[in-house]
Amino acid sequence: MVCQSPVMDVAREKFDAVLFDLDGVVTKTAKMHAASWKRLFDEYLQKRAASGDSSWEPFDSGPDYNNYVDGKPRYEGVRSFLESRGIDLPFGSKDDPPDAETVCGLGNRKNQLLNEHLEKYGVEAYELTLAFLHLLRERGFKTAIVSSSKNCQVVLKAVGIEDLFDTRVDGMVSEQLGLNGKPEADIFLEAARRLKVIPGRAIVLEDAISGVQAGRNGNFGLVVGVDRVGQAEALKSNGADIVVNYMSELTVDGEIPAWEQSIDDLPSALDVMEEIEKQLEAKHPFIALDYDGTLTPIVERPDLAILSEDMRLTISALAKRCTVAVISGRDLPDVQELVGIDGLFFAGSHGFDISGPAERHVDHQQGLEFLPALDSAEKSLRPLLSDIPSAQVERKRFSIAIHYRNVKENREQAVEEAVDQVLVENPRLRKRTGKKIFELQPEIDWHKGKALCRLLEVLEQDDSDILPFYIGDDVTDEDAFRELQAGGIGIVVKDSESPETSRRSSARYALDDCGQVQKFLEELVDMLQRKKR
């Protein structure tokens, strides 16, 4: 599921610390481990089969990995899997060379394969987990990294996140202290001891079956299973109190973690088309687009933002191959007329007013009860701004836009003061800002991100085989970018003429301008044509 509501709140009044597993929870190393284990065991099993000691049956990166090696100390993982195949090898010594036919020799060979992979490809962290970590530490939680891996410190250094943890209990520490590995609770209990917290006031985050078993065995206050591979039921049945797919499903004192980066540091979406094409091999795209600043350049007056014929043709071609929606701050009839393409879905007024084509009827209006408050605010605003040259009040059905792009700089403050005065008189409304615009909207939890999720839900496209995209340029588009951080692709359009390009964004990629947006959409059309063939 792309758009997910929070599963629970991590409240400071209930918990003091959060203990994180490394592989699969903090870093994207679980697949690297699984690949290294598979290569190790496949090579070894093939060698045995060739010598006539056994038949050849490859290591399965799914069940074999999850049941016998995931989360366990390296040598215990070797022993556990070999036992499942009826193979009994001497334990050997931790100093055994990687080609020794012992439990330790095979374990050392696995470590050698993993290090080769790390050196060649590096390692990435889950951005939402890092956002969750930062939020926890801001709220005063203690944090620990708890891993069976002896490579834990090396991986943390490679990612540059050692300072996000107050203590580390890993395979090296376990060996020094003689701690039992998962599913025993020793390493989690040691982490709690070092943090000076009682287990009942600590949370365990684990993606491995042996890890949630360890959390349960240690009587921790909450055991959260992190399901990256579709084993939610197994995690629950083995000790997880709740299971999440992404850290955005957990709030911290009511706040949802969101990953942000400077727009200037975001990679260009045009440079990652091969990566996007690979993601679309097993998925269908859902394309949602902002209008102003995305499909058309920002102009002095809203009525001058006319869609070019080339862009219209590109969107039409795309809409023949996948579902396309336009989500705009403009009124619904206005944006429908400006785009002028049949078969699209539209969300106007920042998503408060949603409609679809006749053959796929979708109608949704949010905030009808706030129309009287908007009427009152508009009535007050117009005389307050009448003596400020070039200030424009644009009434939309579900919002009021106050444009000050052409207002002299020394009068901009007066525009905002007028807006704030009206806001005090109308507490049922809220103020949102954008590029040289203030907007009064109903004071409810609704925005472009909610509208995007509503469209996905109504169209039954909020599923694992859908890859949703959202392309937008303004701060009001950040809500949609945040909704897609877990399982979609947000693309922010820069404005090279504005200092706002240095702002931080929750988007994954960037494009420089509307011209690059059109080129990106054209490449998507070509990509979908190739996929169809």
Side-chain angles (χ1 to χ4, degrees), residues 276-524:
I276 290 173
E277 186 165 16
K278 187 173 182 180
Q279 292 185 66
L280 285 173
E281 286 178 357
K283 292 178 179 287
H284 304 290
F286 174 93
I287 312 297
L289 306 160
D290 179 34
Y291 185 79
D292 295 280
T294 299
L295 299 182
T296 65
I298 295 292
V299 291
E300 290 187 358
R301 299 202 323 264
D303 57 296
L304 299 178
I306 305 301
L307 191 69
S308 72
E309 191 58 31
D310 284 346
M311 181 68 89
R312 182 173 286 108
L313 289 172
T314 299
I315 297 171
S316 297
L318 185 63
K320 292 176 182 177
R321 293 161 177 83
C322 66
T323 304
V324 177
V326 178
I327 303 177
S328 171
R330 290 175 177 267
D331 259 346
L332 179 61
D334 183 23
V335 70
Q336 286 175 319
E337 182 178 354
L338 285 167
V339 175
I341 301 174
D342 293 333
L344 303 191
F345 294 85
F346 291 92
S349 298
H350 298 283
F352 281 88
D353 201 358
I354 301 174
S355 182
E359 68 273 13
R360 298 177 70 182
H361 186 72
V362 176
D363 281 311
H364 176 88
Q365 292 185 329
Q366 190 82 14
L368 286 170
E369 68 273 24
F370 291 84
L371 294 180
L374 288 164
D375 292 338
S376 173
E378 180 190 10
K379 185 177 180 180
S380 300
L381 264 174
R382 291 193 181 278
L384 287 174
L385 295 173
S386 61
D387 65 341
I388 302 178
S390 300
Q392 292 180 271
V393 177
E394 181 190 5
R395 174 59 195 272
K396 308 172 186 180
R397 189 173 189 205
F398 291 97
S399 66
I400 305 170
I402 301 93
H403 301 272
Y404 61 96
R405 178 170 295 277
N406 299 316
V407 172
K408 290 184 178 180
E409 190 173 343
N410 63 354
R411 300 302 307 275
E412 289 181 357
Q413 183 63 34
V415 174
E416 185 164 17
E417 287 174 357
V419 171
D420 289 343
Q421 178 181 328
V422 171
L423 196 63
V424 170
E425 298 168 358
N426 295 274
R428 299 192 72 199
L429 303 180
R430 68 184 179 198
K431 180 180 75 175
R432 302 205 69 179
T433 59
K435 293 179 179 178
K436 296 295 182 178
I437 187 174
F438 299 114
E439 191 135 15
L440 297 183
Q441 301 173 356
E443 180 61 276
I444 54 176
D445 185 22
W446 196 261
H447 45 64
K448 286 185 174 182
K450 296 284 188 181
L452 173 61
C453 291
R454 175 63 177 163
L455 275 171
L456 288 166
E457 177 188 350
V458 169
L459 299 172
E460 298 181 345
Q461 293 200 345
D462 189 7
D463 211 330
S464 59
D465 64 345
I466 296 298
L467 181 62
F469 293 73
Y470 184 86
I471 307 178
D473 71 305
D474 211 341
V475 291
T476 56
D477 298 306
E478 292 296 325
D479 295 311
F481 297 148
R482 280 188 286 272
E483 291 289 349
L484 292 190
Q485 282 195 330
I489 294 178
I491 302 173
V492 64
V493 184
K494 299 179 181 180
D495 179 0
S496 58
E497 297 179 358
S498 170
E500 292 174 343
T501 54
S502 61
R503 80 169 199 259
R504 298 181 69 79
S505 175
S506 295
R508 189 186 302 185
Y509 305 120
L511 292 168
D512 287 341
D513 50 35
C514 299
Q516 285 201 351
V517 172
Q518 183 173 334
K519 184 176 181 182
F520 177 80
L521 297 179
E522 288 171 347
E523 293 203 20
L524 272 182

Side-chain angles (χ1 to χ4, degrees), residues 201-213:
R201 295 274 301 179
I203 299 171
V204 168
L205 283 167
E206 262 284 359
D207 73 316
I209 292 172
S210 61
V212 295
Q213 290 172 336

